[in-house]
Amino acid sequence: MAWALKLPLTDEVIESGLVQDFDASLSGIGQELGAGAYSMSDVLALPIFKQEESNLPPDNENKILPFQYVLCAATSPAIKLHDETLTYLNQGQSYEIRMLDNRKIGELPEITGKMVKSIIRVVFHDRRLQYTEHQQLEGWRWNRPGDRILDLDIPMSVGIIDPRANPTQLNTVEFLWDPSKRTSVFIQVHCISTEFTMRKHGGEKGVPFRIQIDTFKENESSEYTEHLHSASCQVKVFKPKGADRKQKTDREKMEKRAPQEKEKYQSSYETTILTECSPWPEITYVNNSPSPAFNSTHNSFPVAEGYENTPPLTFTENGSPNHQPEPVIQVTDSLPPQHLLPAATPQEAQQWLHRNRFSPFCRLFTNFSGADLLKLTREDVIQICGPADGIRLFNALKGRVVRPRLTIYVCQESPQSRDQQQQLKQENGDASVSTFFIYHAIYLEDLTSVELTEKIAQLFNISPRQINQIFKQGPTGIHVLVSDEMIQNFQDEVCFILDTMKDDSNDGYHIILK
């Protein structure tokens, strides 16, 4: 019962003991972070708050980038803070990308006054689709033959030199530009995000793409292979006007949110700044491409020149680029027939396609023989190659020749035939006499007297200078000078007998059309 004699503790004593115990329990907090108080930035830097590891070097936080690329399209307002920006684009619309020189004075002096090369590509944002990029693009190529995923709007672009578009790489374009001069390139994206969704029952969300720009400088061999800078941004592509509707919908949704909710989202900006990223792994294409590299002479040449044998790029399981072998086309010295024959082998059919400027479609018709190609209907060819190239290929397969504007038939009246006709008239009296003449066809395109003179001279193997004038025999036997206007009023497939009359002033002749 001794414990019952103890005096009860006061409330002040109890509170004092509890405070001391609580302070002691908190005494170790923050010691690992240093003597000072820890900040929220330190907490956010912990691995559990990181969505993914950055591909950039750790010392780039305060680094000033040598170049900056600005896409002139508004960012979406429905993107949360700390998330990457998202920009909506319309299919086929031209968008400006401003190429800005951001170097300090004295930085990268080796490119001062020289050109650099930039490669723009549209790639998949999702890693899953990156692994199957080759299969995805080949499927798109089959569904949209003759079209490209990415194109340059060259007439609107400023400051770009030698633009190139690889026929086997539908999502890539490249060009040279001078950082010291104003440069703006306009691009067009022709694929939409929903074309690569798994299920297509309507209402699916489209997959995001990335627009990436890699810039290179010349090496000692005057080849643009030394990497300078890379940047990219996330985009989604909609059917025409779809991006504008999506932007409006996102803006209206944000206006309906509470002020506290709005603070969790980014503001919408009129332009999209591409952020620095790692070089695209297709860097091996820059080094190992069999196509002729840019050189310091900067000669102009057509788009897509020199890329016929460039192999397409695929990805292995670990995401590294891998080149697939392209079917080799052996072009022999002996020219194949102008028209494709049914007996032509697939190899000869490939040669015929190359020589008739259908190289972009050679992969589609790899196993087609001459008979296979000739069996295609006009609708089949247009569906495979598109309207413009499809009509051209169909006409080439059928060997169609452009119809001339005017066809006339002429026959030379010889003195023997004239004497024979007069003799027959005397024997038969006034009876009609038919004389057998051989006519030659003359095809006219320009419908001028000069062209008619050249065609007549060519027909009878004489020089055009020997023909002084061409007359047409009119009423009562008058001779009417043939002019351009008269030829334009000739009836198609009209027949003439040519008579010649010596010019007394020189060694030439006059031609009379009877």
Side-chain angles (χ1 to χ4, degrees):
M1 299 297 294
W3 55 273
L5 298 176
K6 289 185 178 180
L7 298 174
L9 298 175
T10 63
D11 293 339
E12 291 80 7
V13 175
I14 294 175
E15 290 179 4
S16 176
L18 291 174
V19 171
Q20 291 178 359
D21 293 339
F22 187 73
D23 290 342
S25 65
L26 297 178
S27 61
I29 294 179
Q31 291 181 359
E32 294 82 3
L33 298 176
Y38 60 91
S39 62
M40 184 57 69
S41 61
D42 295 325
V43 177
L44 293 175
L46 296 176
I48 60 174
F49 292 98
K50 289 187 175 181
Q51 295 181 352
E52 60 180 2
E53 291 296 327
S54 174
N55 292 327
L56 299 176
D59 58 347
N60 69 338
E61 295 180 359
N62 299 322
K63 178 182 177 182
I64 298 179
L65 305 177
F67 303 108
Q68 190 176 57
Y69 316 121
V70 180
L71 173 63
C72 295
T75 60
S76 170
I79 304 300
K80 290 186 177 181
L81 295 172
H82 309 297
D83 286 350
E84 185 180 9
T85 61
L86 177 61
T87 304
Y88 302 136
L89 304 180
N90 287 317
Q91 178 189 24
Q93 182 174 329
S94 296
Y95 289 92
E96 179 185 9
I97 298 180
R98 297 171 184 168
M99 316 289 288
L100 305 178
D101 185 3
N102 205 27
R103 292 175 296 157
K104 295 180 180 178
I105 298 178
E107 184 180 2
L108 294 175
E110 62 273 17
I111 67 172
T112 301
K114 295 184 178 180
M115 297 286 179
V116 296
K117 180 176 78 169
S118 288
I119 301 176
I120 303 179
R121 50 174 57 86
V122 174
V123 296
F124 292 113
H125 175 76
D126 296 339
R127 186 61 57 89
R128 172 184 58 84
L129 292 174
Q130 290 180 9
Y131 290 149
T132 60
E133 177 171 307
H134 176 67
Q135 290 79 3
Q136 297 287 343
L137 297 186
E138 283 299 307
W140 190 90
R141 184 203 301 266
W142 179 258
N143 293 326
R144 301 270 298 274
D147 291 346
R148 289 186 55 82
I149 291 179
L150 179 65
D151 264 331
L152 285 178
D153 191 343
I154 298 179
M156 295 188 66
S157 301
V158 177
I160 66 171
I161 299 176
D162 292 349
R164 298 187 181 189
N166 189 337
T168 62
Q169 291 183 335
L170 307 180
N171 60 332
T172 302
V173 294
E174 60 184 63
F175 55 90
L176 298 178
W177 60 288
D178 186 350
S180 63
K181 298 180 180 179
R182 178 199 168 198
T183 303
S184 289
V185 57
F186 283 77
I187 64 169
Q188 298 172 342
V189 183
H190 297 288
C191 64
I192 59 177
S193 296
T194 54
E195 289 184 279
F196 299 97
T197 51
M198 296 294 293
R199 297 185 180 91
K200 297 184 178 179
H201 302 297
E204 298 88 356
K205 289 186 176 180
V207 300
F209 300 124
R210 300 199 69 81
I211 294 179
Q212 177 157 338
I213 303 178
D214 300 297
T215 300
F216 304 87
K217 66 177 181 179
E218 281 183 314
N219 59 12
E220 296 178 354
S221 303
S222 297
E223 297 177 347
Y224 291 87
T225 55
E226 294 191 19
H227 179 259
L228 285 175
H229 178 243
S230 295
S232 65
C233 66
Q234 185 181 191
V235 299
K236 278 190 176 182
V237 185
F238 297 81
K239 290 183 178 180
K241 302 297 183 180
D244 305 326
R245 291 191 293 267
K246 178 62 174 174
Q247 188 80 0
K248 180 181 178 181
T249 302
D250 288 355
R251 186 169 58 251
E252 291 175 349
K253 287 182 179 180
M254 294 305 302
E255 291 175 353
K256 295 179 182 179
R257 293 183 180 272
Q260 296 81 2
E261 288 292 322
K262 292 182 180 179
E263 295 178 355
K264 299 179 182 179
Y265 290 85
Q266 304 179 19
S267 300
S268 177
Y269 298 96
E270 294 183 356
T271 58
T272 304
I273 298 178
L274 279 66
T275 57
E276 188 181 19
C277 64
S278 297
W280 185 251
E282 200 178 352
I283 186 70
T284 54
Y285 155 73
V286 178
N287 292 333
N288 300 333
S289 171
S291 62
F294 288 103
N295 53 53
S296 57
T297 57
H298 307 314
N299 293 326
S300 299
F301 51 88
V303 175
E305 179 179 342
Y307 282 103
E308 287 80 0
N309 298 324
T310 306
L313 185 78
T314 61
F315 285 86
T316 59
E317 294 184 356
N318 60 0
S320 60
N322 179 32
H323 286 286
Q324 296 290 332
E326 185 91 3
V328 179
I329 309 265
Q330 296 291 343
V331 180
T332 58
D333 294 333
S334 59
L335 292 175
Q338 182 180 3
H339 302 300
L340 185 64
L341 302 178
T345 63
Q347 186 75 9
E348 293 171 343
Q350 291 286 304
Q351 295 182 18
W352 184 87
L353 290 171
H354 270 280
R355 296 192 185 278
N356 288 273
R357 297 177 288 112
F358 296 107
S359 300
F361 307 105
C362 285
R363 283 186 59 87
L364 294 175
F365 301 112
T366 300
N367 298 319
F368 279 65
S369 64
D372 296 332
L373 288 172
L374 291 171
K375 289 178 182 177
L376 295 175
T377 64
R378 186 175 185 270
E379 290 73 18
D380 293 337
V381 179
I382 291 177
Q383 184 178 1
I384 294 173
C385 303
D389 289 314
I391 294 174
R392 189 168 67 89
L393 176 58
F394 180 77
N395 290 336
L397 288 172
K398 302 306 178 183
R400 295 189 174 184
V401 181
V402 179
R403 182 179 176 86
R405 296 179 62 188
L406 178 65
T407 301
I408 63 175
Y409 303 110
V410 297
C411 172
Q412 185 178 16
E413 184 182 23
S414 62
Q416 293 82 3
S417 62
R418 189 185 306 129
D419 296 340
Q420 182 181 4
Q421 187 177 12
Q422 292 178 354
Q423 182 180 359
L424 290 174
K425 282 184 178 181
Q426 293 176 357
E427 294 177 356
N428 298 329
D430 295 337
S432 60
V433 178
S434 60
T435 306
F436 180 75
F437 292 107
I438 298 177
Y439 285 83
H440 300 274
I442 292 180
Y443 303 106
L444 301 178
E445 292 291 343
D446 299 334
L447 304 185
T448 61
S449 59
V450 175
E451 182 186 22
L452 179 59
T453 302
E454 293 176 351
K455 292 295 181 69
I456 293 176
Q458 181 181 2
L459 181 62
F460 296 106
N461 296 322
I462 61 175
S463 172
R465 296 180 179 179
Q466 293 182 264
I467 301 177
N468 294 339
Q469 298 288 351
I470 299 180
F471 300 97
K472 182 178 181 299
Q473 184 171 307
T476 66
I478 64 174
H479 294 164
V480 182
L481 181 64
V482 174
S483 62
D484 297 346
E485 187 176 0
M486 178 183 289
I487 295 177
Q488 294 168 8
N489 285 278
F490 278 172
Q491 292 184 358
D492 195 24
E493 297 188 340
V494 66
C495 300
F496 292 109
I497 296 179
L498 300 185
D499 192 8
T500 57
M501 184 173 61
K502 185 74 172 61
D503 190 347
D504 298 333
S505 61
N506 52 33
D507 295 334
Y509 292 87
H510 297 305
I511 303 294
I512 302 174
L513 304 179
K514 295 183 178 181

